Amino acid sequence: MSMKKEASSLSELGFDVNFGAGFFRQVPSSGCDNGEGTQRRPRPTKVSVIGAGEVGMAIAQTILTQGLADEIALVDDDAHRVRGEMLDLQHAAAFLPRVRIVAGTDVLALTRGSDLAIVTVPGARQQVTLELLRKKVAVLREIVPAVAEGSPESLLLVVSNPVDVLAYAAWKLSGFPASRVIGSGTNLDSSRLRRLLADHLGVGAQDVQAYMVGEHGGAAVALWSSISVGGMPVLSYLQKTHASSSSCFDGEALEGIRRAVVGGAREVIGLKGYASWAIGYSVASLARSLLRDQRRVHPVSLLAKGFIPGNDHEVFLSLPARLGRGGVLGVAAELELTADEESTLRRSAETLWEHCQALGL
């Protein structure tokens, strides 16, 4: 059944857009002009979100409401769906910051001139197999080169799972410096850990300094020894105060907390069918740090070669990194790891490298 397409602008109804420009009279120049009588305006910030599924739209909506972009481009292979999502957001214009929202199916045309391109590749929520990986990389082959062609100076943020392997693939396909290709990694896992600890300690989650690192998923590592609140180490306090209770913070208990963190998304998906809002806020926090040059530290998936003892492979996995307008500006390379944590990171690097080699990139 064909669907009637309603106009999304007055120009689509035949009105000349140039007549609207004279609605307000222009004031005399203040002297800060470009020699042609017009004032210099800062270059608008453009964010492109490729993939208008639940995750992609949660990201777009959060970036929109937080005022992080002047233009948002939505790209999806379902033309009807992505237009519907665009109109749904445009209709809320009176309640939001002024943002130009465009949508369609043409990756190159729509993402051209992006400052940040966010890639969400849909896929079955199932165990990762080589066949599934190859299908997702095939989708990236259609997306990433087009983004790189139209936005050669952009930052590339991969949100799809398995994020570490797909971030590696996006890096290879883009030809970008590794510093400008990032995976969402364990940024959200770290938030889940911070929330659990914050609730137990009765503080705000933003006051808990805690990181999950390594391979995104079941093998992620919690950096227990570095967790602090207000400059005070948390683990030693919890072990001391719970020493005489039935629920002490021993190795088994810590592993139970880690499993609860990495299994958090699985529970959400089991209950509502998909996870979206938390990853939307997580990615928006990364976008803010990148686009506004905040120099904040986030655990994100990055090229980890040389940062993990005993690993010389070109693999992406999560480490705390300083993020700014140039992408990854620095990596926390002097982490204090236990022997078990270091061994887990090395095993993850080997596993990820095997996947990457199998893709033939």
Side-chain angles (χ1 to χ4, degrees):
M1 182 179 69
S2 61
M3 190 176 301
K4 183 181 179 183
K5 181 179 178 181
E6 301 291 350
S8 63
S9 66
L10 293 187
S11 61
E12 290 185 10
L13 293 174
F15 294 96
D16 190 333
V17 68
N18 292 319
F19 284 104
F23 188 63
F24 284 91
R25 291 185 181 180
Q26 197 158 3
V27 298
S29 171
S30 63
C32 299
D33 58 50
N34 59 11
E36 298 176 355
T38 58
Q39 292 184 338
R40 286 196 187 98
R41 288 177 292 181
R43 179 178 172 275
T45 299
K46 179 174 180 177
V47 174
S48 292
V49 180
I50 300 108
E54 289 94 352
V55 170
M57 290 314 302
I59 292 169
Q61 190 266 354
T62 311
I63 287 175
L64 172 63
T65 56
Q66 292 188 5
L68 299 178
D70 301 298
E71 179 177 351
I72 297 176
L74 306 174
V75 186
D76 196 272
D77 58 2
D78 186 334
H80 289 304
R81 178 191 175 104
V82 76
R83 177 175 170 80
E85 296 286 10
M86 175 193 74
L87 292 172
D88 209 5
L89 292 177
Q90 287 179 339
H91 294 170
F95 318 117
L96 294 167
R98 183 174 182 267
V99 177
R100 181 173 183 255
I101 305 173
V102 296
T105 60
D106 190 327
V107 177
L108 177 59
L110 285 161
T111 65
R112 188 180 295 278
S114 295
D115 296 285
L116 173 64
I118 301 169
V119 180
T120 69
V121 179
R125 300 181 180 97
Q126 59 195 48
Q127 185 174 358
V128 176
T129 63
L130 184 56
E131 180 184 3
L132 179 61
L133 269 178
R134 284 174 172 157
K135 288 181 179 178
K136 289 197 170 188
V137 171
V139 176
L140 288 183
R141 289 184 189 275
E142 298 177 5
I143 295 171
V144 174
V147 170
E149 178 183 346
S151 307
E153 302 300 320
S154 72
L155 302 170
L156 191 57
L157 176 55
V158 179
V159 184
S160 309
N161 286 323
V163 68
D164 301 305
V165 179
L166 294 183
Y168 169 86
W171 171 52
K172 288 294 186 179
L173 293 170
S174 68
F176 285 178
S179 60
R180 289 202 279 122
V181 181
I182 303 164
S184 52
T186 55
N187 195 52
L188 178 52
D189 293 311
S190 298
S191 175
R192 293 187 180 110
L193 176 60
R194 292 166 70 181
R195 185 197 70 82
L196 287 174
L197 294 172
D199 286 353
H200 185 75
L201 296 170
V203 299
Q206 293 183 350
D207 294 317
V208 179
Q209 295 297 311
Y211 296 104
M212 300 286 291
V213 299
E215 180 182 1
H216 176 263
V221 173
L223 297 182
W224 291 110
S225 61
S226 66
I227 297 174
S228 67
V229 173
M232 298 181 292
V234 168
L235 181 58
S236 59
Y237 167 80
L238 293 175
Q239 290 175 330
K240 180 173 62 177
T241 55
H242 290 69
S244 59
S245 69
S246 58
S247 56
C248 60
F249 279 81
D250 57 12
E252 184 178 351
L254 297 181
E255 175 59 17
I257 297 171
R258 190 198 68 83
R259 284 199 301 268
V261 169
V262 299
R266 186 166 57 250
E267 181 180 8
V268 173
I269 292 169
L271 291 169
K272 60 179 271 191
Y274 58 90
S276 58
W277 294 118
I279 188 62
Y281 282 105
S282 173
V283 173
S285 76
L286 299 178
R288 180 184 295 276
S289 292
L290 292 165
L291 295 172
R292 295 190 175 175
D293 201 31
Q294 293 291 293
R295 311 296 177 101
R296 290 195 60 191
V297 176
H298 297 267
V300 292
S301 187
L302 48 79
L303 183 63
K305 182 178 180 180
F307 295 121
I308 297 173
N311 170 62
D312 290 321
H313 299 313
E314 289 184 330
V315 295
F316 275 61
L317 49 73
S318 289
L319 293 170
R322 184 163 52 106
L323 302 184
R325 193 61 188 82
V328 176
L329 305 179
V331 180
E334 301 297 327
L335 298 176
E336 292 188 5
L337 302 171
T338 66
D340 286 343
E341 291 167 349
E342 191 173 302
S343 176
T344 299
L345 287 180
R346 278 200 303 270
R347 285 197 304 271
S348 291
E350 291 293 337
T351 300
L352 291 168
W353 181 239
E354 290 173 7
H355 289 321
C356 293
Q357 284 186 306
L359 294 174
L361 294 169

